[in-house]
């Protein structure tokens, strides 16, 4: 089969398109899936660079998300059968990933993909919406009437989080650049959008919240934004941290404010949540099927264009998700 692997860690240049890789074989509790579409996520770059080590060693097929068709099932699998449309996320760490024509997944990490949902939308939605749902609903305990801040509201996880928060009945504030990014966030349900490049983010947040304080914050860049987040939290507020690019430091002023508010910092990794992943994906699938959730696709690349896809992912101005279509 065709696949993209890296034999050493490094930048996108280590990604090698190879045309004669053995098709994986499912074990007793696994499902073999013919991949129709995969997507690109920041965690794929962390693995490629060596910040996280794939458990299978090198060479490694990267990629976390996919949507496709079941080709074969292990002898213990009863929930799926050949021909089923499925999607999944969280792959590519403990097993070969999804930058390939085929992959295997344990059955409990898969969900059925409704006929109403395209493979492209399924692959693009998988990690974005599963992360947003688990961060806001499961970890953030978001509820009706809460004020929710979504940092990076026009990106992959961010544009999903805006919709999850809006559907939960929250007042949603997003951060995004003015122009198309801010317009996207508003169109998906953000009640207010502020430009993250403002000099005084905390003041802008307070103004956008119309005198209220933040109940829940989805934070993908805690090293950059945490100080402003903490200054705006209500009593018992929660900051759910899903990412950071460098060490997290909390100055004494915001730290004291957070202590006085009995605020919580909650960390989350989708890779550590396989126990509830399929259940979340089923919730996402039903909402994609009836139109309550929608997916914004930024760019589509072929499998042999993966280095360019990774480069695009790390550039500024990405709106929504970048996907990989092996058929082009």
């Amino acid at each position: 089969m065709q696949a993209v692997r890296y034999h050493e860690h490094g930048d996108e240049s280590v990604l090698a398109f190879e045309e004669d890789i053995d098709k994986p074989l499912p074990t007793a509790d696994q499902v073999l899936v013919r991949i129709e579409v995969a997507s690109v996520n920041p965690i794929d770059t962390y693995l490629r660079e060596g910040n996280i080590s794939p458990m299978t060693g090198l060479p490694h097929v990267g990629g976390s998300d996919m949507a496709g068709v079941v080709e074969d099932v292990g002898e213990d699998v009863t929930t799926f059968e050949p021909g089923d449309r499925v999607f999944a996320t969280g792959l590519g760490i403990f097993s070969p990933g999804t930058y390939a024509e085929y992959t295997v997944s344990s059955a409990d990490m898969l969900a059925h993909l409704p006929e109403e949902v395209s493979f492209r939308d399924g692959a693009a939605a998988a990690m974005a919406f599963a992360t947003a749902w688990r961060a806001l609903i499961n970890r953030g305990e978001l509820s009706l009437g809460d004020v929710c801040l979504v940092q990076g509201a026009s990106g992959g996880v961010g544009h999903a989080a805006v919709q999850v928060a809006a559907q939960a009945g929250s007042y949603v504030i997003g951060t995004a650049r003015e122009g198309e990014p801010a317009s996207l966030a508003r169109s998906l349900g953000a009640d207010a959008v502020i430009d993250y490049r403002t000099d005084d983010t905390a003041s802008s947040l307070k103004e956008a919240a119309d005198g209220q304080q933040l109940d829940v914050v989805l934070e993908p860049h805690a090293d950059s934004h945490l100080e402003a987040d903490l200054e705006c939290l209500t009593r018992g507020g929660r900051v759910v941290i899903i990412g950071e690019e460098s060490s997290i430091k909390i100055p004494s002023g915001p730290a004291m404010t957070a202590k006085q508010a009995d605020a919580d910092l909650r960390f989350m990794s989708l890779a550590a949540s396989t126990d509830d992943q399929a259940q979340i994906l089923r919730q996402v699938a039903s909402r994609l099927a009836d139109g309550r959730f929608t997916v914004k696709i930024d760019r589509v690349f072929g499998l042999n264009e993966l280095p360019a896809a990774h480069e695009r992912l790390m550039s500024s101005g990405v709106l929504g998700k970048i996907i990989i279509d092996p058929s082009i």
Side-chain angles (χ1 to χ4, degrees):
M1 69 172 184
Q2 295 180 341
V4 173
R5 302 194 295 180
Y6 45 90
H7 295 251
E8 61 182 345
H9 294 296
D11 62 19
E12 59 270 9
S13 66
V14 303
L15 296 168
F17 177 72
E18 302 177 16
E19 300 189 72
D20 193 22
I21 306 299
D22 291 338
K23 184 192 299 186
L25 298 174
T27 60
D29 64 347
Q30 287 184 325
V31 176
L32 173 67
V33 180
R34 183 181 76 249
I35 297 173
E36 297 290 336
V37 182
S39 80
V40 180
N41 296 282
I43 192 171
D44 304 342
T45 67
Y46 306 155
L47 284 155
R48 187 203 72 218
E49 292 168 348
N51 298 319
I52 304 173
S53 297
M55 302 302 291
T56 54
L58 300 179
H60 181 67
V61 177
S64 307
D65 294 1
M66 64 85 187
V69 178
V70 173
E71 183 98 349
D72 194 10
V73 299
E75 58 187 19
D76 294 340
V77 176
T78 60
T79 50
F80 299 95
E81 59 185 29
D84 284 352
R85 303 172 85 250
V86 294
F87 72 138
T89 189
L91 307 178
I93 297 178
F94 305 103
S95 63
T98 60
Y99 295 158
E101 293 181 296
Y102 294 87
T103 195
V104 290
S105 170
S106 62
D108 59 7
M109 293 180 68
L110 286 172
H112 287 94
L113 186 69
E115 291 288 343
E116 300 90 339
V117 183
S118 70
F119 289 120
R120 287 189 173 188
D121 282 356
M127 180 169 284
F129 278 92
T131 299
W133 185 286
R134 191 167 193 274
L136 293 177
I137 305 300
N138 295 33
R139 296 288 291 134
E141 301 177 85
L142 189 69
S143 60
L144 181 68
D146 280 349
V147 179
C148 178
L149 170 63
V150 176
Q151 296 278 19
S154 62
V157 173
H159 92 290
V162 167
Q163 297 174 70
V164 171
Q167 287 286 323
S170 297
Y171 181 85
V172 185
I173 303 170
T175 62
R177 291 185 304 161
E178 277 303 328
E180 190 175 2
S183 296
L184 174 64
R186 292 187 184 97
S187 73
L188 296 174
D191 297 286
V193 180
I194 66 170
D195 194 322
Y196 62 84
R197 298 171 297 180
T198 182
D199 291 333
D200 192 345
T201 304
S203 295
S204 297
L205 286 174
K206 292 173 182 176
E207 182 178 350
D210 194 25
Q212 301 182 79
Q213 292 177 300
L214 304 175
D215 294 286
V216 180
V217 178
L218 177 70
E219 185 50 79
H221 298 289
D223 52 309
S224 300
H225 304 146
L226 190 55
E227 182 175 347
D229 298 338
L230 295 177
E231 289 183 13
C232 301
L233 284 179
T234 191
R235 185 169 183 81
R238 289 85 68 196
V239 179
V240 184
I241 296 173
I242 63 171
E244 67 283 327
E245 295 179 2
S246 60
S247 299
I248 300 172
K249 299 179 181 179
I250 306 175
S252 58
M256 182 56 68
T257 300
K259 290 175 183 177
Q260 291 172 339
D262 279 343
D264 287 349
L265 295 183
R266 302 182 180 182
F267 293 82
M268 195 211 86
S269 169
L270 196 62
S273 63
T274 56
D275 54 335
D276 55 11
Q277 188 167 290
Q279 179 182 358
I280 292 173
L281 287 175
R282 288 193 289 270
Q283 298 281 354
V284 171
S286 68
R287 287 161 173 77
L288 289 170
D290 65 19
R292 283 178 288 173
F293 286 167
T294 187
V295 183
K296 170 66 174 177
I297 294 176
D298 178 87
R299 291 273 295 275
V300 182
F301 292 86
L303 189 58
N304 62 347
E305 300 175 305
L306 198 59
H310 272 222
E311 187 174 3
R312 172 62 182 166
L313 177 69
M314 303 311 293
S315 65
S316 61
V318 175
L319 298 179
K321 291 288 295 185
I322 296 167
I323 61 173
I324 303 296
D325 187 338
S327 69
I328 63 175

